[in-house]
Amino acid sequence: MSFRFWAVAGVVSAAAVADLSIGMRSGPPPVSSAELMDGRRALEARMKRGDIAVHSPLFGVEEARHLDGIRTRPDLPAEAVRRGRRVVLLDRRDAAISGFGEPQDRLIVGPTLFVATFEPTGSAEVTVFDLTVDLGPDTMRVERPRGQTVSTCGEPRRQGGFQCLGQPEWVYAAPRTLRIGGEDRACLWAHPVTGAAVVLSIPALPAPPAGRRMVLELQGGLTDEAVRRTPGGAPVTTVAMQGGRTLGRLVVTNRSDWRRVTRVIEPGSAVELVTTTTHDGRRHYCLSARVVERSVSEGASS
Amino acid sequence: MSAWASWFLVLLYLGVQLRALPMVGLTDDDDFYISAGIAYAEWLGRAFGPGEAWSRAEIDRAFTHNHEHPPLAKYAFGLCHFVFRGWLGPIDAARVGTVLFSTLLAWVLLWMARQHLGHRRGLIAGGTAVLLLLTLPRFFFHSHVATLDVPVASLYVLAAALALKAERAAWAAWAAGAAFGLACATKLNAPFLVVPYVLFAVLVRYRRSRGADEVATSPPAGTLRLPAVPLALVAMAIMAPVVFVGTWPWLWHDTFTRLGEYVGFHLNHYGIHFLYFGTVFHQNPFAPWHAPFVMAFVTVPLATSALAGFGIAAAACRVRNRLRDRTGPDSPERREADLVLTAFLHALFAVLVVALSGGPKYGGAKLFMPFFPFWCLLAGYGVLRLLELAGDRLGLRGAAVGVFGLALVSQVGLQNKFGGYALSQYNASVNGLAGATARGFERQYYDVAFPDLVAWLNEAGPDDLKVHFLPNNWEYVRTYRWYRRAGALRSDIKVVRDVRDADWLVLTHERRFARYRNDLLVYRTRPVLREHRLDGVPLWTVLDLER
């Protein structure tokens, strides 16, 4: 009887003490500026173009400021993203983000921080750029005429993505999941504008390792609802251009369809995806653009 | 003696709750329910005077506000608003309604415990349950906001307590019917009470096989023998619709159409963002079935859960014996077993219904509020059994009291730390708020307009300050109006709709909003004027947009 009593009393007391320790502590202290700068340098030393940089969600604005100039995010990227992307993490040792798995490389930066690298969990094909993941305030713009920017799409939207300033509310860039060609597609909303060009930029990417090349996978379509409700709707064309040269053309007509084009692209030069239409009425257009590193032996053009 | 002690506890509960009113900020729901409550209470005032208050036009005008939810709790908010506003201001006055519901719940727990455990044992179990409930940080928060969750929990527990009492007293069956009707007239999750209650009724009545000494009797040919149906269930079935419709004038016209709209709204409830283990859920498929169980486990202070677990284990024998002897005479052991079985089933199903509903799961623990009082009752029962395990040994009894005291102190410690930020409270199983944030749990929700931020803006803000909140500004446009109306916010401070018009930006660090990541990127270079951290986790940061 005594044993049972003390066992129960012990468990309840231990639970209470554990919570009391939470109640009485001040919590993990902010990170010093010096250690943050060390962390930034360690992060930059490990990052390659196409990598996703993640920082601790416990960073406040003062800490996040030290990473200015680096596109970082305060959360674990989705599993589907981690399958094809390398992630470099700057995190707290006392409250590390869970869900990453084992790192390939881990460096203790200081008393509070560490940097770790996580290689893609999926196949040998490595994604170095994905429009829906790497979307930033400088990714999309509206030109009218072509070559003259009338709107930059850099205003964060409540639902995610970025609104194009001075444009109708349906002109924005945001990751969406839409019903296209009878299936749910994860893509980037990029509604075209009559008489203008909606331009999406893929930054210049470094050269891949020997034996591999970079392939642009461009896919897109109109939502099934838009097709159904707009008989005779205008086609939408996205032209992939690099260095003034047309790489390929994705033409989406008013059909329930998901179209794709793949082209090899050159390193060191930005790619632009220029979307136009003759009439933008209910042209609910969604685009997917990825740049992947592939072995040279694998096909690329389609 | 125990009656006096019970009333002392209830009054203590009420006093502590009232004292804490100014500490709890406005949620985005307060604006809906307080406004609706005022409209309903104004109608009530006109209803008992001359005029056309009972006309369809007048009823529609008053009750169109927030007609997605039934009115009972909102009557309380509105009536309390008018009664107490001169003393407490427009916001806290309305919230007295929630405090009263919470206090009713405390009284019911004590009553329920004393009815089924006897006066002395019931006071120990019920009294400790009330003290544990009072110091549950998240339940404490919800007991102060003008929303429907604590009111429905209160009436749910009342109906469940009366239904249990009805096993032994016919009057309680009709009271249970009325209470159930009132619960249904508060929020849509009330009807789910029927599931654990029916299960309880079946478990304590159902005979699996006849023993050798029982005589099998067949009914005469041409007749149907019905199973014994609890009178409380019949009363609920009869009275609930009458009370539900009777208390909701909105349903008095186009009844079936409006009833269909009410049910349809909730069946097709829009998704609400919920961050769970690093993934944001806001549309089908919603968060997995285990989310409410996990949220309950990581937010209830661990000592309470440990005591509840012990209480359940300690009662297992008595419950088993009670279920084996369904037809025996009533006894203290049967009443005790019935109490624990009832509390366990209701605690379980309060969470299970949310887990298996297939609908959106969000808002931390708000969707399963009835779970907390039943869990505290089980914990209080655990305290009682621990004391009884100590026997007559003074040292051990002292140790048992000490253990309960330590449990209470740990909860007070959590309460004290998180205070008005109780929706950010997590227990030690996930290493508090810091660990929970790293694991991908929400660090806050409800878009709470924290009073300390309001006070700081008053103190530090320049003249004609324009403020914008990100990532979810529009909720603060609504709630800050209430603070201005109450005189708590300087009249020259405005929450503007466009960030480009703002002088200062308040960034509430909420990852459940898709834009948060981009907001942090865009604004991280702005000068920080003030940042509030709890357990090392930033909750809000005020940024200067002018420089």
Side-chain angles (χ1 to χ4, degrees):
Chain A
M1 196 70 109
S2 269
F3 171 76
R4 275 171 59 197
F5 175 87
W6 287 114
V8 174
V11 168
V12 176
S13 299
V17 166
D19 274 349
L20 196 56
S21 71
I22 300 292
M24 293 182 63
R25 74 183 187 188
S26 53
V31 190
S32 72
S33 192
E35 191 175 355
L36 281 162
M37 290 313 298
D38 288 342
R40 179 194 172 109
R41 281 189 283 271
L43 193 71
E44 286 178 310
R46 274 154 184 75
M47 281 192 68
K48 300 178 211 169
R49 188 59 116 167
D51 288 354
I52 296 175
V54 176
H55 67 72
S56 168
L58 273 68
F59 280 8
V61 174
E62 289 284 9
E63 286 123 328
R65 191 202 307 287
H66 289 74
L67 301 173
D68 186 38
I70 306 175
R71 275 188 67 77
T72 57
R73 49 191 287 173
D75 47 51
L76 177 77
E79 159 93 51
V81 172
R82 297 199 317 272
R83 248 182 263 128
R85 306 292 292 270
R86 226 169 71 110
V87 177
V88 188
L89 169 68
L90 176 64
D91 204 357
R92 293 189 65 114
R93 296 166 65 191
D94 50 11
I97 298 177
S98 57
F100 269 114
E102 279 303 307
Q104 277 64 47
D105 166 51
R106 182 181 155 115
L107 171 76
I108 304 293
V109 173
T112 314
L113 298 179
F114 72 91
V115 171
T117 310
F118 301 86
E119 295 294 333
T121 59
S123 68
E125 181 180 278
V126 178
T127 303
V128 294
F129 183 88
D130 185 331
L131 207 50
T132 55
V133 175
D134 295 302
L135 179 70
D138 50 0
T139 301
M140 183 159 130
R141 64 185 186 272
V142 179
E143 294 180 352
R144 190 201 304 266
R146 179 79 171 109
Q148 189 161 330
T149 301
V150 295
S151 171
T152 53
C153 308
E155 184 67 31
R157 293 173 72 245
R158 180 167 172 265
Q159 306 91 323
F162 298 92
Q163 183 67 38
C164 301
L165 290 176
Q167 298 296 310
E169 52 88 20
W170 38 265
V171 184
Y172 61 86
R176 301 276 305 269
T177 300
L178 297 168
R179 195 84 180 160
I180 300 175
E183 286 181 36
D184 289 333
R185 313 270 182 186
C187 49
L188 188 85
W189 174 271
H191 198 300
V193 179
T194 307
V198 172
V199 182
L200 289 152
S201 300
I202 299 174
L205 299 168
R212 297 175 75 79
R213 58 185 173 185
M214 289 195 294
V215 176
L216 170 67
E217 292 181 344
L218 183 62
Q219 302 177 74
L222 293 161
T223 65
D224 293 347
E225 193 199 358
V227 168
R228 191 173 58 248
R229 293 179 61 196
T230 325
V236 177
T237 302
T238 297
V239 178
M241 304 193 66
Q242 186 175 38
R245 187 170 64 91
T246 298
L247 297 174
R249 200 177 292 266
L250 184 76
V251 181
V252 173
T253 56
N254 198 47
R255 286 173 48 184
S256 178
D257 197 8
W258 183 248
R259 309 281 299 171
R260 40 174 69 79
V261 163
T262 57
R263 291 288 187 272
V264 173
I265 65 170
E266 297 302 318
S269 175
V271 172
E272 287 188 336
L273 307 173
V274 184
T275 301
T276 56
T277 188
T278 54
H279 185 62
D280 61 21
R282 207 181 283 121
R283 299 293 77 190
H284 298 173
Y285 183 60
C286 209
L287 201 57
S288 165
R290 284 197 322 150
V291 176
V292 297
E293 275 181 14
R294 254 185 217 153
S295 167
V296 168
S297 57
E298 291 179 60
S301 294
S302 63
Chain B
M1 173 64 185
S2 64
W4 285 109
S6 296
W7 281 112
F8 171 76
L9 280 167
V10 171
L11 288 172
L12 174 71
Y13 188 98
L14 176 64
V16 170
Q17 297 268 5
L18 287 174
R19 185 80 178 80
L21 269 172
M23 182 179 78
V24 179
L26 276 171
T27 68
D28 51 23
D29 276 349
D30 280 270
D31 175 55
F32 290 128
Y33 297 129
I34 296 177
S35 302
I38 290 171
Y40 299 1
E42 285 174 339
W43 179 84
L44 280 175
R46 292 195 301 275
F48 295 99
E52 296 292 311
W54 298 89
S55 68
R56 174 174 181 156
E58 282 294 304
I59 287 174
D60 283 0
R61 193 165 66 88
F63 288 91
T64 195
H65 297 268
N66 195 238
H67 60 262
E68 310 83 50
H69 294 285
L72 195 80
K74 288 174 272 182
Y75 288 138
F77 302 151
L79 290 170
C80 288
H81 165 82
F82 285 109
V83 170
F84 298 111
R85 63 180 171 170
W87 174 32
L88 297 174
I91 304 168
D92 287 349
R95 290 168 148 199
V96 169
T98 312
V99 169
L100 293 175
F101 275 109
S102 187
T103 308
L104 169 66
L105 204 161
W107 181 85
V108 171
L109 286 181
L110 271 163
W111 178 79
M112 205 172 167
R114 290 175 62 208
Q115 286 290 310
H116 294 85
L117 297 172
H119 293 300
R120 187 187 145 275
R121 296 177 79 230
L123 180 62
I124 294 170
T128 52
V130 165
L131 290 173
L132 290 172
L133 187 68
L134 179 63
T135 52
L136 282 188
R138 291 206 180 210
F139 191 85
F140 192 82
F141 179 94
H142 284 283
S143 294
H144 289 82
V145 296
T147 63
L148 309 182
D149 303 299
V150 164
V152 76
S154 170
L155 292 168
Y156 181 116
V157 174
L158 177 64
L162 288 166
L164 178 61
K165 180 66 180 176
E167 294 288 303
R168 295 164 176 89
W171 68 264
W174 298 105
F180 180 63
L182 292 174
C184 292
T186 304
K187 201 177 180 194
L188 187 66
N189 48 336
F192 292 105
L193 173 157
V194 172
V195 177
Y197 173 60
V198 166
L199 181 58
F200 169 84
V202 167
L203 285 172
V204 302
R205 284 167 175 73
Y206 176 64
R207 300 178 195 187
R208 271 181 288 175
S209 61
R210 290 195 165 86
D213 57 347
E214 291 184 40
V215 176
T217 54
S218 301
T223 60
L224 183 67
R225 173 182 272 176
L226 295 173
V229 177
L231 182 59
L233 199 60
V234 174
M236 286 179 192
I238 294 171
M239 298 182 73
V242 175
V243 172
F244 179 67
V245 177
T247 57
W248 198 357
W250 177 255
L251 295 183
W252 295 353
H253 303 280
D254 294 335
T255 304
F256 291 103
T257 303
R258 290 179 170 181
L259 210 48
E261 286 170 357
Y262 167 60
V263 174
F265 172 84
H266 293 282
L267 284 179
N268 301 299
H269 198 292
Y270 52 84
I272 294 177
H273 293 79
F274 176 54
L275 177 68
Y276 180 66
F277 281 116
T279 301
V280 177
F281 297 93
H282 67 281
Q283 60 187 19
N284 222 339
F286 297 110
W289 65 268
H290 45 77
F293 287 104
V294 170
M295 287 308 299
F297 181 71
V298 301
T299 56
V300 172
L302 291 175
T304 294
S305 290
L307 285 166
F310 171 62
I312 293 166
C317 250
R318 295 182 191 191
V319 171
R320 191 178 62 232
N321 293 339
R322 192 265 183 266
L323 294 181
R324 279 178 179 164
D325 182 24
R326 292 175 179 83
T327 58
D330 199 17
S331 66
E333 289 75 25
R334 282 170 75 91
R335 287 195 290 274
E336 180 170 334
D338 283 355
L339 175 73
V340 177
L341 182 60
T342 290
F344 173 75
L345 288 174
H346 282 290
L348 173 66
F349 276 85
V351 185
L352 201 59
V353 161
V354 177
L356 302 180
S357 68
K361 300 169 188 62
Y362 58 89
K366 75 184 289 293
L367 295 183
F368 49 90
M369 277 293 130
F371 162 78
F372 297 99
F374 287 113
W375 198 241
C376 286
L377 185 59
L378 290 166
Y381 179 75
V383 172
L384 172 68
R385 293 301 301 268
L386 186 65
L387 264 172
E388 291 174 346
L389 205 55
D392 293 325
R393 287 159 289 187
L394 209 57
L396 287 188
R397 292 181 78 86
V401 172
V403 165
F404 172 69
L406 184 60
L408 209 57
V409 164
S410 75
Q411 295 194 183
V412 170
L414 285 175
Q415 188 109 292
N416 187 55
K417 174 176 180 138
F418 288 93
Y421 290 83
L423 300 185
S424 303
Q425 175 263 327
Y426 289 86
N427 63 34
S429 70
V430 285
N431 192 22
L433 176 61
T437 303
R439 279 172 175 74
F441 286 95
E442 293 177 336
R443 67 185 82 185
Q444 57 191 339
Y445 66 89
Y446 242 159
D447 305 303
V448 179
F450 300 110
D452 54 341
L453 172 57
V454 173
W456 182 80
L457 289 174
N458 285 336
E459 178 196 316
D463 292 343
D464 299 317
L465 173 66
K466 294 177 188 52
V467 185
H468 188 84
F469 286 77
L470 284 176
N472 202 24
N473 186 71
W474 76 292
E475 303 289 9
Y476 299 94
V477 172
R478 297 190 294 115
T479 50
Y480 268 59
R481 269 193 226 124
W482 282 97
Y483 283 130
R484 186 176 303 107
R485 182 173 157 182
L489 177 71
R490 268 175 31 204
S491 58
D492 61 316
I493 296 177
K494 288 182 178 44
V495 178
V496 294
R497 291 176 194 268
D498 194 329
V499 66
R500 286 166 293 185
D501 297 330
D503 304 313
W504 288 1
L505 170 68
V506 181
L507 186 64
T508 60
H509 298 270
E510 294 179 89
R511 286 162 51 196
R512 65 194 175 108
F513 293 111
R515 66 172 296 164
Y516 167 69
R517 187 191 307 155
N518 294 332
D519 288 334
L520 188 58
L521 264 182
V522 168
Y523 294 106
R524 63 186 174 181
T525 55
R526 300 295 186 150
V528 173
L529 296 170
R530 189 167 181 96
E531 186 163 82
H532 184 80
R533 288 178 182 254
L534 206 48
D535 208 32
V537 177
L539 293 179
W540 51 261
T541 309
V542 182
L543 303 168
D544 191 345
L545 297 181
E546 298 265 83
R547 285 189 273 148

